[in-house]
Every structure is written in structure tokens, then in C-alpha cells.
Coordinates of all heavy atoms in Angstrom, one line a residue:
M25 N 5.0 -3.7 -17.2 CA 5.1 -3.5 -15.8 C 6.6 -3.6 -15.5 O 7.3 -4.4 -16.0 CB 4.3 -4.5 -15.0 CG 4.6 -4.5 -13.5 SD 3.8 -5.8 -12.5 CE 2.6 -6.6 -13.4
A26 N 7.1 -2.8 -14.6 CA 8.5 -2.8 -14.2 C 8.8 -4.1 -13.4 O 7.9 -4.7 -12.8 CB 8.8 -1.6 -13.3
K27 N 10.1 -4.5 -13.5 CA 10.5 -5.7 -12.6 C 10.3 -5.3 -11.2 O 10.7 -4.2 -10.8 CB 11.9 -6.1 -13.0 CG 12.0 -6.5 -14.4 CD 13.5 -6.8 -14.7 CE 13.7 -7.1 -16.2 NZ 15.0 -7.2 -16.6
K28 N 9.8 -6.3 -10.4 CA 9.6 -6.0 -9.0 C 10.9 -5.6 -8.2 O 10.8 -4.7 -7.3 CB 9.0 -7.2 -8.3 CG 7.5 -7.3 -8.6 CD 6.9 -8.4 -7.8 CE 5.4 -8.5 -8.1 NZ 4.8 -9.5 -7.3
D29 N 12.0 -6.0 -8.6 CA 13.3 -5.6 -7.9 C 13.7 -4.2 -8.3 O 14.7 -3.6 -7.8 CB 14.4 -6.6 -8.1 CG 14.7 -6.8 -9.6 OD1 14.0 -6.4 -10.5 OD2 15.8 -7.4 -9.8
E30 N 13.0 -3.5 -9.3 CA 13.4 -2.2 -9.8 C 12.4 -1.1 -9.3 O 12.5 0.0 -9.8 CB 13.5 -2.2 -11.3 CG 14.6 -3.1 -11.8 CD 14.6 -3.1 -13.4 OE1 13.7 -2.5 -13.9 OE2 15.5 -3.8 -13.9
V31 N 11.4 -1.5 -8.4 CA 10.4 -0.6 -8.1 C 10.6 -0.2 -6.6 O 11.2 -0.9 -5.8 CB 9.0 -1.1 -8.3 CG1 8.7 -1.4 -9.8 CG2 8.8 -2.4 -7.4
T32 N 9.9 0.9 -6.2 CA 9.9 1.3 -4.9 C 9.2 0.4 -3.9 O 8.4 -0.4 -4.5 CB 9.3 2.7 -4.7 OG1 7.9 2.6 -5.0 CG2 10.0 3.7 -5.6
P33 N 9.4 0.4 -2.6 CA 8.6 -0.5 -1.7 C 7.1 -0.3 -1.9 O 6.3 -1.2 -1.9 CB 9.1 -0.2 -0.3 CG 10.5 0.4 -0.6 CD 10.5 1.1 -1.9
M34 N 6.7 1.0 -2.1 CA 5.2 1.3 -2.2 C 4.7 0.6 -3.6 O 3.7 0.0 -3.5 CB 5.0 2.7 -2.2 CG 3.5 3.0 -2.3 SD 3.1 4.6 -3.0 CE 3.5 4.3 -4.7
M35 N 5.4 0.7 -4.7 CA 5.0 0.1 -5.9 C 5.0 -1.4 -5.8 O 4.2 -2.1 -6.4 CB 5.8 0.6 -7.0 CG 5.6 2.1 -7.4 SD 3.8 2.4 -7.8 CE 3.6 1.5 -9.3
K36 N 6.0 -1.9 -5.1 CA 6.0 -3.4 -4.9 C 4.8 -3.8 -4.2 O 4.1 -4.8 -4.6 CB 7.3 -3.8 -4.1 CG 7.3 -5.3 -3.9 CD 8.5 -5.7 -3.1 CE 8.6 -7.2 -2.9 NZ 7.4 -8.0 -2.6
Q37 N 4.3 -3.0 -3.1 CA 3.1 -3.4 -2.5 C 1.9 -3.3 -3.5 O 1.1 -4.2 -3.5 CB 2.8 -2.4 -1.4 CG 3.3 -2.8 0.0 CD 2.8 -1.8 1.1 OE1 2.5 -0.6 0.8 NE2 2.6 -2.3 2.3
F38 N 1.8 -2.2 -4.3 CA 0.8 -2.2 -5.2 C 0.7 -3.4 -6.2 O -0.3 -4.0 -6.3 CB 0.9 -0.9 -6.1 CG -0.1 -0.8 -7.2 CD1 -1.4 -0.3 -6.9 CD2 0.2 -1.2 -8.5 CE1 -2.3 -0.2 -7.9 CE2 -0.8 -1.1 -9.5 CZ -2.1 -0.6 -9.2
Y39 N 1.9 -3.7 -6.7 CA 1.9 -4.9 -7.6 C 1.6 -6.2 -6.9 O 1.0 -7.1 -7.5 CB 3.3 -4.9 -8.4 CG 3.4 -3.8 -9.4 CD1 4.6 -3.0 -9.4 CD2 2.4 -3.6 -10.4 CE1 4.7 -2.0 -10.3 CE2 2.6 -2.6 -11.3 CZ 3.7 -1.8 -11.3 OH 3.9 -0.8 -12.3
D40 N 2.0 -6.3 -5.7 CA 1.7 -7.6 -4.9 C 0.2 -7.7 -4.7 O -0.4 -8.8 -4.9 CB 2.4 -7.6 -3.6 CG 3.9 -7.8 -3.7 OD1 4.4 -8.3 -4.8 OD2 4.6 -7.6 -2.7
F41 N -0.5 -6.6 -4.3 CA -1.9 -6.6 -4.2 C -2.6 -6.9 -5.5 O -3.6 -7.5 -5.6 CB -2.5 -5.3 -3.5 CG -2.2 -5.3 -2.0 CD1 -1.3 -4.3 -1.4 CD2 -2.8 -6.3 -1.2 CE1 -1.1 -4.3 -0.1 CE2 -2.5 -6.2 0.2 CZ -1.7 -5.2 0.7
K42 N -2.1 -6.2 -6.6 CA -2.7 -6.4 -7.9 C -2.6 -7.8 -8.3 O -3.5 -8.3 -9.0 CB -2.0 -5.4 -8.9 CG -2.6 -5.5 -10.3 CD -3.9 -5.0 -10.4 CE -4.5 -5.1 -11.7 NZ -5.9 -5.1 -11.8
A43 N -1.5 -8.4 -8.0 CA -1.4 -9.9 -8.4 C -2.4 -10.8 -7.7 O -2.8 -11.8 -8.3 CB 0.0 -10.4 -8.1
K44 N -2.8 -10.3 -6.5 CA -3.8 -11.1 -5.8 C -5.2 -10.9 -6.3 O -6.2 -11.7 -6.1 CB -3.8 -10.7 -4.3 CG -2.5 -11.2 -3.5 CD -2.6 -10.8 -2.1 CE -1.3 -11.2 -1.4 NZ -1.2 -10.8 -0.1
H45 N -5.4 -9.8 -7.0 CA -6.7 -9.3 -7.6 C -6.6 -8.9 -9.0 O -6.8 -7.7 -9.4 CB -7.4 -8.2 -6.7 CG -7.4 -8.6 -5.3 ND1 -8.4 -9.4 -4.8 CD2 -6.6 -8.3 -4.3 CE1 -8.2 -9.6 -3.5 NE2 -7.2 -8.9 -3.2
P46 N -6.1 -9.8 -9.9 CA -5.8 -9.4 -11.3 C -6.9 -8.9 -12.1 O -6.8 -8.1 -13.0 CB -5.1 -10.6 -11.9 CG -5.6 -11.8 -11.1 CD -5.9 -11.2 -9.7
D47 N -8.1 -9.4 -11.8 CA -9.3 -9.0 -12.5 C -10.0 -7.7 -12.0 O -11.0 -7.3 -12.5 CB -10.3 -10.1 -12.6 CG -10.8 -10.5 -11.2 OD1 -10.1 -10.4 -10.3 OD2 -11.9 -11.1 -11.2
A48 N -9.4 -7.1 -10.9 CA -10.0 -5.9 -10.3 C -9.2 -4.6 -10.7 O -8.0 -4.8 -10.8 CB -10.2 -6.1 -8.9
L49 N -9.9 -3.5 -10.7 CA -9.2 -2.3 -10.8 C -8.8 -1.9 -9.3 O -9.7 -1.8 -8.5 CB -10.2 -1.2 -11.3 CG -9.4 0.1 -11.8 CD1 -10.3 0.6 -13.0 CD2 -9.4 1.0 -10.8
L50 N -7.6 -1.8 -9.0 CA -7.0 -1.6 -7.6 C -6.9 -0.1 -7.3 O -6.2 0.6 -8.0 CB -5.7 -2.3 -7.5 CG -5.0 -2.2 -6.1 CD1 -5.9 -2.7 -5.0 CD2 -3.7 -2.9 -6.1
L51 N -7.7 0.3 -6.3 CA -7.5 1.7 -5.8 C -6.7 1.6 -4.4 O -7.0 0.8 -3.6 CB -8.9 2.2 -5.4 CG -9.9 2.4 -6.5 CD1 -11.2 2.9 -5.9 CD2 -9.3 3.2 -7.6
F52 N -5.5 2.2 -4.5 CA -4.5 2.0 -3.5 C -4.3 3.3 -2.7 O -4.0 4.3 -3.3 CB -3.2 1.6 -4.2 CG -2.0 1.3 -3.3 CD1 -2.0 -0.1 -2.8 CD2 -0.9 2.1 -3.1 CE1 -0.9 -0.5 -2.0 CE2 0.1 1.7 -2.3 CZ 0.1 0.4 -1.7
R53 N -4.6 3.3 -1.4 CA -4.6 4.5 -0.6 C -3.2 4.9 -0.4 O -2.4 4.2 0.2 CB -5.3 4.2 0.7 CG -5.4 5.4 1.7 CD -6.5 6.4 1.3 NE -6.5 7.5 2.2 CZ -7.4 7.6 3.3 NH1 -8.2 6.6 3.5 NH2 -7.2 8.6 4.1
C54 N -2.9 6.2 -0.7 CA -1.6 6.9 -0.4 C -1.9 8.2 0.2 O -2.3 9.2 -0.5 CB -0.9 7.1 -1.7 SG -0.4 5.5 -2.6
G55 N -1.8 8.2 1.5 CA -2.1 9.4 2.2 C -3.6 9.8 2.1 O -4.5 9.0 2.4
D56 N -3.8 11.0 1.5 CA -5.2 11.5 1.3 C -5.8 11.2 0.0 O -6.9 11.7 -0.4 CB -5.1 13.1 1.4 CG -4.9 13.5 2.9 OD1 -5.1 12.8 3.8 OD2 -4.4 14.7 3.1
F57 N -5.2 10.3 -0.8 CA -5.7 10.0 -2.2 C -5.8 8.5 -2.3 O -5.0 7.7 -1.7 CB -4.7 10.5 -3.2 CG -4.8 12.0 -3.3 CD1 -4.1 12.9 -2.5 CD2 -5.6 12.6 -4.3 CE1 -4.1 14.2 -2.6 CE2 -5.6 14.0 -4.4 CZ -4.9 14.8 -3.6
Y58 N -6.7 8.1 -3.2 CA -6.7 6.7 -3.8 C -5.9 6.9 -5.1 O -6.4 7.7 -5.9 CB -8.1 6.2 -3.9 CG -8.7 5.7 -2.7 CD1 -9.7 6.4 -2.0 CD2 -8.3 4.5 -2.1 CE1 -10.2 6.0 -0.9 CE2 -8.8 4.0 -0.9 CZ -9.8 4.8 -0.3 OH -10.3 4.3 0.8
E59 N -4.9 6.1 -5.3 CA -4.1 6.2 -6.5 C -4.3 4.7 -7.2 O -4.5 3.7 -6.6 CB -2.6 6.4 -6.2 CG -2.3 7.7 -5.6 CD -2.4 8.9 -6.5 OE1 -2.6 8.7 -7.7 OE2 -2.3 10.0 -6.0
T60 N -4.1 4.8 -8.5 CA -4.0 3.6 -9.2 C -2.9 3.8 -10.3 O -2.6 4.9 -10.7 CB -5.4 3.1 -9.8 OG1 -5.3 1.8 -10.3 CG2 -5.9 4.1 -10.9
Y61 N -2.3 2.7 -10.8 CA -1.1 2.8 -11.6 C -1.2 1.9 -12.8 O -2.0 1.0 -12.8 CB 0.1 2.4 -10.8 CG 0.3 3.2 -9.6 CD1 -0.2 2.8 -8.3 CD2 0.9 4.5 -9.6 CE1 0.0 3.6 -7.2 CE2 1.1 5.3 -8.5 CZ 0.6 4.8 -7.3 OH 0.7 5.6 -6.2
A62 N -0.3 2.2 -13.8 CA -0.2 1.4 -14.9 C -1.5 1.3 -15.8 O -2.2 2.3 -15.9 CB 0.4 0.0 -14.6
E63 N -1.9 0.1 -16.2 CA -3.0 -0.1 -17.0 C -4.3 0.4 -16.3 O -5.3 0.9 -16.8 CB -3.2 -1.5 -17.5 CG -4.3 -1.7 -18.5 CD -4.5 -3.2 -18.8 OE1 -3.4 -3.8 -19.0 OE2 -5.6 -3.6 -19.1
N64 N -4.3 0.1 -14.9 CA -5.5 0.5 -14.1 C -5.7 2.0 -14.1 O -6.8 2.5 -14.1 CB -5.2 0.1 -12.7 CG -5.5 -1.3 -12.4 OD1 -5.9 -1.8 -11.3 ND2 -5.4 -2.2 -13.4
A65 N -4.6 2.8 -14.2 CA -4.7 4.3 -14.2 C -5.3 4.7 -15.5 O -6.1 5.7 -15.5 CB -3.3 4.9 -14.0
V66 N -4.9 4.1 -16.6 CA -5.4 4.5 -17.9 C -7.0 4.2 -17.9 O -7.8 5.1 -18.3 CB -4.8 3.7 -19.0 CG1 -5.4 4.0 -20.4 CG2 -3.3 4.0 -19.1
I67 N -7.4 3.0 -17.5 CA -8.8 2.7 -17.4 C -9.6 3.7 -16.5 O -10.6 4.2 -16.9 CB -8.9 1.3 -16.9 CG1 -8.4 0.2 -18.0 CG2 -10.4 0.9 -16.7 CD1 -8.3 -1.1 -17.5
A68 N -9.0 3.9 -15.3 CA -9.8 4.8 -14.3 C -9.8 6.2 -14.9 O -10.9 6.8 -14.7 CB -9.0 4.8 -13.0
S69 N -8.8 6.7 -15.4 CA -8.8 8.1 -16.0 C -9.8 8.2 -17.1 O -10.6 9.3 -17.1 CB -7.4 8.5 -16.4 OG -7.1 7.9 -17.6
E70 N -10.0 7.2 -17.9 CA -11.0 7.3 -19.0 C -12.4 7.3 -18.4 O -13.3 8.0 -18.8 CB -10.8 6.1 -19.9 CG -9.6 6.3 -20.8 CD -9.3 5.1 -21.6 OE1 -9.9 4.1 -21.6 OE2 -8.3 5.1 -22.4
I71 N -12.7 6.3 -17.4 CA -14.0 6.2 -16.9 C -14.4 7.4 -16.0 O -15.5 7.9 -16.1 CB -14.1 4.9 -16.1 CG1 -14.0 3.7 -17.0 CG2 -15.4 4.8 -15.3 CD1 -13.8 2.4 -16.3
L72 N -13.5 7.9 -15.2 CA -13.8 8.9 -14.2 C -13.5 10.3 -14.7 O -14.0 11.3 -14.1 CB -12.9 8.6 -13.0 CG -13.1 7.3 -12.3 CD1 -12.1 7.2 -11.2 CD2 -14.5 7.1 -11.8
G73 N -12.9 10.5 -15.8 CA -12.6 11.8 -16.4 C -11.6 12.5 -15.5 O -11.7 13.7 -15.4
I74 N -10.7 11.8 -15.0 CA -9.6 12.4 -14.1 C -8.3 12.4 -14.9 O -8.1 11.7 -15.9 CB -9.4 11.7 -12.8 CG1 -9.1 10.2 -12.9 CG2 -10.7 11.9 -11.9 CD1 -8.9 9.4 -11.6
T75 N -7.4 13.2 -14.4 CA -6.1 13.4 -15.2 C -5.2 12.1 -15.0 O -5.0 11.5 -13.9 CB -5.3 14.6 -14.6 OG1 -6.2 15.8 -14.7 CG2 -4.0 14.8 -15.3
L76 N -4.6 11.7 -16.1 CA -3.6 10.7 -16.2 C -2.3 11.3 -16.2 O -2.0 12.1 -17.1 CB -3.9 9.8 -17.5 CG -2.9 8.6 -17.7 CD1 -3.2 7.6 -16.6 CD2 -3.1 8.1 -19.1
T77 N -1.4 10.9 -15.3 CA -0.1 11.4 -15.2 C 0.9 10.3 -15.2 O 0.5 9.1 -15.4 CB 0.1 12.3 -13.9 OG1 -0.1 11.5 -12.8 CG2 -0.9 13.5 -13.9
K78 N 2.1 10.6 -15.0 CA 3.2 9.5 -14.9 C 4.2 9.8 -13.9 O 4.4 11.0 -13.6 CB 4.0 9.4 -16.2 CG 3.1 9.0 -17.4 CD 3.9 8.7 -18.6 CE 3.0 8.3 -19.7 NZ 3.6 7.4 -20.7
R79 N 4.6 8.8 -13.1 CA 5.6 8.9 -12.1 C 6.9 8.3 -12.7 O 6.8 7.4 -13.5 CB 5.2 8.3 -10.8 CG 5.3 6.7 -10.9 CD 4.9 6.1 -9.5 NE 6.1 6.1 -8.7 CZ 6.1 6.1 -7.4 NH1 5.0 6.2 -6.8 NH2 7.2 6.2 -6.7
S80 N 8.0 9.0 -12.5 CA 9.2 8.5 -13.1 C 9.6 7.1 -12.6 O 9.3 6.7 -11.5 CB 10.4 9.4 -12.8 OG 10.6 9.4 -11.3
G81 N 10.2 6.4 -13.5 CA 10.6 5.0 -13.2 C 11.9 4.9 -12.5 O 12.4 6.0 -12.0
G82 N 12.5 3.8 -12.5 CA 13.8 3.6 -11.9 C 14.9 4.6 -12.3 O 15.0 4.9 -13.5
A83 N 15.5 5.3 -11.4 CA 16.6 6.3 -11.8 C 16.1 7.4 -12.6 O 16.8 8.1 -13.3 CB 17.8 5.6 -12.4
G84 N 14.7 7.7 -12.5 CA 14.1 8.8 -13.3 C 14.1 8.6 -14.7 O 13.9 9.6 -15.5
K85 N 14.2 7.4 -15.2 CA 14.2 7.2 -16.7 C 12.8 7.4 -17.2 O 11.9 6.8 -16.8 CB 14.7 5.8 -17.0 CG 16.1 5.5 -16.6 CD 16.5 4.0 -16.8 CE 17.7 3.6 -16.2 NZ 17.9 2.2 -16.3
K86 N 12.7 8.2 -18.3 CA 11.4 8.5 -18.9 C 10.8 7.2 -19.4 O 9.5 7.0 -19.3 CB 11.5 9.5 -20.0 CG 11.7 10.9 -19.6 CD 11.6 11.8 -20.7 CE 11.6 13.3 -20.2 NZ 11.6 14.2 -21.4
E87 N 11.6 6.3 -20.0 CA 11.1 5.1 -20.6 C 10.5 4.2 -19.6 O 9.8 3.3 -19.9 CB 12.1 4.4 -21.5 CG 13.3 3.9 -20.7 CD 14.4 4.9 -20.6 OE1 14.2 6.1 -20.9 OE2 15.5 4.5 -20.2
D88 N 10.9 4.3 -18.4 CA 10.3 3.5 -17.3 C 9.2 4.2 -16.5 O 8.8 3.7 -15.5 CB 11.5 3.2 -16.2 CG 12.5 2.2 -16.9 OD1 12.2 1.5 -17.8 OD2 13.7 2.3 -16.4
A89 N 8.7 5.3 -17.0 CA 7.6 6.0 -16.3 C 6.4 5.2 -16.2 O 6.0 4.4 -17.2 CB 7.3 7.3 -17.0
T90 N 5.6 5.3 -15.1 CA 4.5 4.5 -14.8 C 3.2 5.4 -14.9 O 3.3 6.4 -14.1 CB 4.5 3.8 -13.4 OG1 5.6 2.9 -13.5 CG2 3.3 3.0 -13.2
A91 N 2.2 5.1 -15.6 CA 1.0 5.9 -15.6 C 0.4 5.8 -14.2 O 0.4 4.8 -13.5 CB 0.0 5.3 -16.7
M92 N -0.2 7.0 -13.8 CA -0.9 7.1 -12.6 C -2.1 8.0 -12.6 O -2.1 8.9 -13.4 CB 0.1 7.4 -11.5 CG 0.7 8.8 -11.5 SD 1.9 9.1 -10.3 CE 0.9 9.5 -8.9
A93 N -3.1 7.6 -11.8 CA -4.3 8.5 -11.8 C -4.9 8.3 -10.3 O -4.7 7.3 -9.8 CB -5.4 8.1 -12.8
G94 N -5.4 9.4 -9.8 CA -6.0 9.3 -8.5 C -7.0 10.4 -8.1 O -7.2 11.3 -8.9
F95 N -7.6 10.2 -6.9 CA -8.6 11.2 -6.5 C -8.6 11.2 -5.0 O -8.1 10.3 -4.4 CB -10.0 10.8 -7.0 CG -10.4 9.4 -6.7 CD1 -11.1 9.2 -5.5 CD2 -10.3 8.4 -7.6 CE1 -11.5 7.9 -5.2 CE2 -10.7 7.1 -7.3 CZ -11.3 6.9 -6.1
P96 N -9.0 12.3 -4.4 CA -9.0 12.4 -2.9 C -9.9 11.3 -2.3 O -10.9 10.9 -2.8 CB -9.7 13.8 -2.7 CG -9.5 14.6 -4.0 CD -9.6 13.5 -5.0
H97 N -9.4 10.8 -1.1 CA -10.0 9.7 -0.5 C -11.5 10.0 -0.1 O -12.3 9.2 -0.1 CB -9.3 9.3 0.8 CG -9.3 10.2 1.9 ND1 -10.3 10.1 2.9 CD2 -8.6 11.3 2.2 CE1 -10.1 11.0 3.8 NE2 -9.1 11.9 3.4
H98 N -11.7 11.3 0.2 CA -13.1 11.7 0.7 C -14.1 11.7 -0.5 O -15.3 11.8 -0.3 CB -13.1 13.0 1.3 CG -12.6 14.1 0.5 ND1 -13.3 14.7 -0.5 CD2 -11.4 14.8 0.5 CE1 -12.5 15.7 -1.1 NE2 -11.4 15.7 -0.5
A99 N -13.5 11.5 -1.8 CA -14.5 11.4 -3.0 C -14.8 10.0 -3.4 O -15.4 9.8 -4.4 CB -13.8 12.2 -4.1
L100 N -14.4 9.0 -2.6 CA -14.6 7.6 -2.9 C -16.1 7.4 -3.2 O -16.4 6.7 -4.2 CB -14.2 6.7 -1.8 CG -14.3 5.2 -2.1 CD1 -13.4 4.8 -3.3 CD2 -14.0 4.4 -0.8
D101 N -17.0 7.9 -2.4 CA -18.5 7.7 -2.7 C -18.9 8.3 -4.0 O -20.0 7.8 -4.5 CB -19.3 8.3 -1.6 CG -19.1 7.5 -0.2 OD1 -18.7 6.4 -0.3 OD2 -19.5 8.1 0.8
T102 N -18.2 9.2 -4.6 CA -18.5 9.8 -5.9 C -17.9 8.9 -7.0 O -18.6 8.6 -8.0 CB -17.9 11.2 -6.0 OG1 -18.5 12.0 -5.0 CG2 -18.2 11.8 -7.4
Y103 N -16.7 8.5 -6.9 CA -16.0 7.8 -7.9 C -16.3 6.3 -8.0 O -16.3 5.7 -9.1 CB -14.5 8.0 -7.9 CG -14.2 9.5 -8.3 CD1 -13.6 10.3 -7.3 CD2 -14.3 9.9 -9.6 CE1 -13.4 11.6 -7.7 CE2 -14.1 11.2 -10.0 CZ -13.6 12.0 -9.0 OH -13.2 13.3 -9.4
L104 N -16.4 5.7 -6.8 CA -16.6 4.2 -6.8 C -17.8 3.8 -7.6 O -17.7 2.8 -8.4 CB -16.6 3.6 -5.4 CG -16.8 2.1 -5.2 CD1 -15.7 1.4 -5.9 CD2 -16.8 1.8 -3.7
P105 N -19.0 4.4 -7.4 CA -20.2 4.0 -8.2 C -20.0 4.1 -9.6 O -20.5 3.3 -10.5 CB -21.3 4.9 -7.7 CG -20.9 5.3 -6.4 CD -19.3 5.4 -6.4
K106 N -19.2 5.0 -10.1 CA -19.0 5.2 -11.6 C -18.1 4.0 -12.2 O -18.4 3.6 -13.3 CB -18.1 6.6 -11.8 CG -19.0 7.8 -11.6 CD -18.1 9.0 -11.9 CE -18.9 10.3 -11.6 NZ -18.2 11.5 -11.9
L107 N -17.2 3.6 -11.4 CA -16.4 2.4 -11.9 C -17.2 1.2 -11.9 O -17.2 0.4 -12.8 CB -15.2 2.2 -10.9 CG -14.1 3.3 -10.9 CD1 -13.2 3.1 -9.8 CD2 -13.5 3.3 -12.2
V108 N -18.1 1.0 -10.9 CA -19.0 -0.2 -10.8 C -20.0 -0.2 -11.9 O -20.3 -1.2 -12.6 CB -19.6 -0.3 -9.4 CG1 -20.7 -1.4 -9.4 CG2 -18.6 -0.6 -8.4
R109 N -20.6 1.0 -12.1 CA -21.6 1.2 -13.3 C -21.0 0.9 -14.6 O -21.6 0.5 -15.6 CB -22.2 2.5 -13.2 CG -23.3 2.7 -12.2 CD -24.2 4.0 -12.5 NE -23.4 5.2 -12.4 CZ -23.2 5.9 -11.3 NH1 -23.7 5.5 -10.1 NH2 -22.5 7.0 -11.3
A110 N -19.6 1.2 -14.7 CA -18.9 0.9 -16.0 C -18.6 -0.6 -16.1 O -17.9 -1.0 -17.1 CB -17.6 1.7 -16.0
G111 N -19.0 -1.4 -15.1 CA -18.8 -2.8 -15.2 C -17.4 -3.3 -14.6 O -17.0 -4.4 -14.9
K112 N -16.8 -2.5 -13.9 CA -15.5 -2.8 -13.4 C -15.6 -3.4 -12.0 O -16.4 -3.0 -11.2 CB -14.5 -1.6 -13.3 CG -14.2 -0.9 -14.6 CD -13.6 -2.0 -15.5 CE -13.4 -1.3 -16.9 NZ -13.0 -2.3 -17.8
R113 N -14.8 -4.4 -11.8 CA -14.7 -4.9 -10.4 C -13.6 -4.2 -9.7 O -12.5 -3.9 -10.3 CB -14.2 -6.4 -10.4 CG -14.1 -7.1 -9.1 CD -13.9 -8.6 -9.4 NE -13.9 -9.2 -8.1 CZ -12.7 -9.7 -7.5 NH1 -11.6 -9.6 -8.1 NH2 -12.8 -10.2 -6.3
V114 N -13.8 -3.7 -8.5 CA -12.9 -2.8 -7.8 C -12.4 -3.4 -6.5 O -13.2 -3.9 -5.7 CB -13.5 -1.4 -7.6 CG1 -12.5 -0.4 -6.9 CG2 -14.1 -0.8 -8.8
A115 N -11.0 -3.3 -6.3 CA -10.5 -3.7 -5.0 C -9.9 -2.5 -4.4 O -9.3 -1.7 -5.1 CB -9.4 -4.8 -5.3
I116 N -10.1 -2.3 -3.2 CA -9.6 -1.2 -2.4 C -8.6 -1.6 -1.4 O -8.9 -2.4 -0.5 CB -10.8 -0.4 -1.8 CG1 -11.8 0.0 -2.8 CG2 -10.3 0.8 -1.0 CD1 -13.1 0.6 -2.2
C117 N -7.4 -1.0 -1.5 CA -6.4 -1.2 -0.5 C -6.2 0.1 0.3 O -5.8 1.1 -0.2 CB -5.1 -1.5 -1.2 SG -3.7 -1.9 -0.1
D118 N -6.6 0.0 1.6 CA -6.7 1.1 2.4 C -5.6 1.1 3.4 O -5.0 0.0 3.8 CB -8.0 1.2 3.1 CG -8.5 2.7 3.3 OD1 -7.6 3.6 3.4 OD2 -9.7 2.8 3.4
Q119 N -5.2 2.3 4.0 CA -4.2 2.3 5.0 C -4.8 2.0 6.3 O -5.9 2.6 6.7 CB -3.6 3.7 5.1 CG -2.7 4.1 4.0 CD -2.2 5.5 4.1 OE1 -2.5 6.3 3.3 NE2 -1.4 5.7 5.1
L120 N -4.2 1.1 7.2 CA -4.7 0.8 8.5 C -3.9 1.3 9.6 O -4.3 1.3 10.7 CB -4.9 -0.8 8.6 CG -5.8 -1.4 7.6 CD1 -5.7 -2.9 7.8 CD2 -7.2 -0.8 7.7
E121 N -2.7 1.8 9.2 CA -1.8 2.3 10.2 C -1.3 3.7 9.7 O -1.3 4.0 8.6 CB -0.6 1.4 10.4 CG -0.9 0.1 10.9 CD 0.4 -0.8 11.0 OE1 1.5 -0.3 10.8 OE2 0.2 -2.0 11.4
D122 N -0.8 4.5 10.6 CA -0.2 5.8 10.3 C 1.1 5.5 9.5 O 1.8 4.6 9.8 CB 0.2 6.5 11.6 CG 0.8 7.8 11.4 OD1 1.6 8.0 10.5 OD2 0.4 8.8 12.1
P123 N 1.2 6.2 8.4 CA 2.4 5.9 7.5 C 3.7 6.1 8.2 O 4.7 5.4 7.7 CB 2.2 7.0 6.4 CG 0.8 7.5 6.4 CD 0.4 7.2 7.8
S124 N 3.8 6.7 9.3 CA 5.1 6.8 10.0 C 5.4 5.6 10.6 O 6.6 5.3 10.9 CB 5.1 8.0 10.9 OG 4.2 7.8 12.0

């Protein structure tokens, strides 16, 4: 995991929520998608059969790239049961305000 002072504000939020729920797979709402990052992304991509990608790390360094996987928010009813059936505890962080 990247150092908290080297991540974007959004990733800091993700890591802060993840720290509060370390035993859960965290689905983090970003616009129209639920995203998950780092080890959670690897696990989710394997269980759900979704693409695992990477977002560049600090200053675009490849070695600092973070794994990510996500799915459209309207597909939550499809993907959430798959995670639960796989024995995963899931925490959902949703947007409550307009991002602007």
C-alpha cells in the first residue's frame, strides 16, 4: 500500500475506510461505478470475473501502480451476492452528496 501522504484525496478516503473495515472487501462508489483497489481488487476480480487494471501511482510511476477493479453501480444486485456466496464480508462506501 502506498504511503497515505503520497496518494490522492480519493485514495486516502478509500484507505481510511478500509482501515475501519480491514476484514471486509470494500466497494467504494466513484461516480457510476463501485471500485475496489489493491488486494481487494485482485480478490474481487477473481471472484467476479471482472477485469483487473492498474491506476498509476504517485507521479505516474509504474512501480507505484495500484490494482483496481470495478463494476457499474446498477449491477450491485448481481455482484454483491457472488461476493457473499464466496464467503467475503463486504463493506459498501456510497456517495451521499453530488461529487461537485
Side-chain angles (χ1 to χ4, degrees):
M25 176 182 348
K27 295 176 187 170
K28 284 190 181 179
D29 59 342
E30 296 176 357
V31 298
T32 65
M34 186 207 66
M35 289 304 294
K36 181 181 181 318
Q37 269 191 328
F38 176 84
Y39 288 127
D40 287 347
F41 284 116
K42 182 63 182 163
K44 292 179 183 178
H45 306 282
D47 59 336
L49 197 146
L50 178 60
L51 300 179
F52 190 77
R53 179 81 179 264
C54 295
D56 290 338
F57 288 83
Y58 281 107
E59 298 284 356
T60 191
Y61 302 95
E63 184 180 328
N64 280 209
V66 174
I67 294 167
S69 70
E70 290 172 357
I71 293 170
L72 301 175
I74 59 178
T75 302
L76 180 66
T77 61
K78 293 188 179 209
R79 73 178 278 151
S80 64
K85 298 177 192 171
K86 282 186 176 181
E87 63 272 11
D88 293 336
T90 301
M92 62 185 284
F95 56 85
H97 73 95
H98 59 76
L100 182 64
D101 290 343
T102 300
Y103 290 112
L104 182 58
K106 290 180 181 183
L107 294 170
V108 173
R109 281 194 300 270
K112 299 300 176 191
R113 183 169 182 258
V114 180
I116 299 173
C117 181
D118 217 332
Q119 287 178 246
L120 300 178
E121 297 180 3
D122 185 313
S124 62

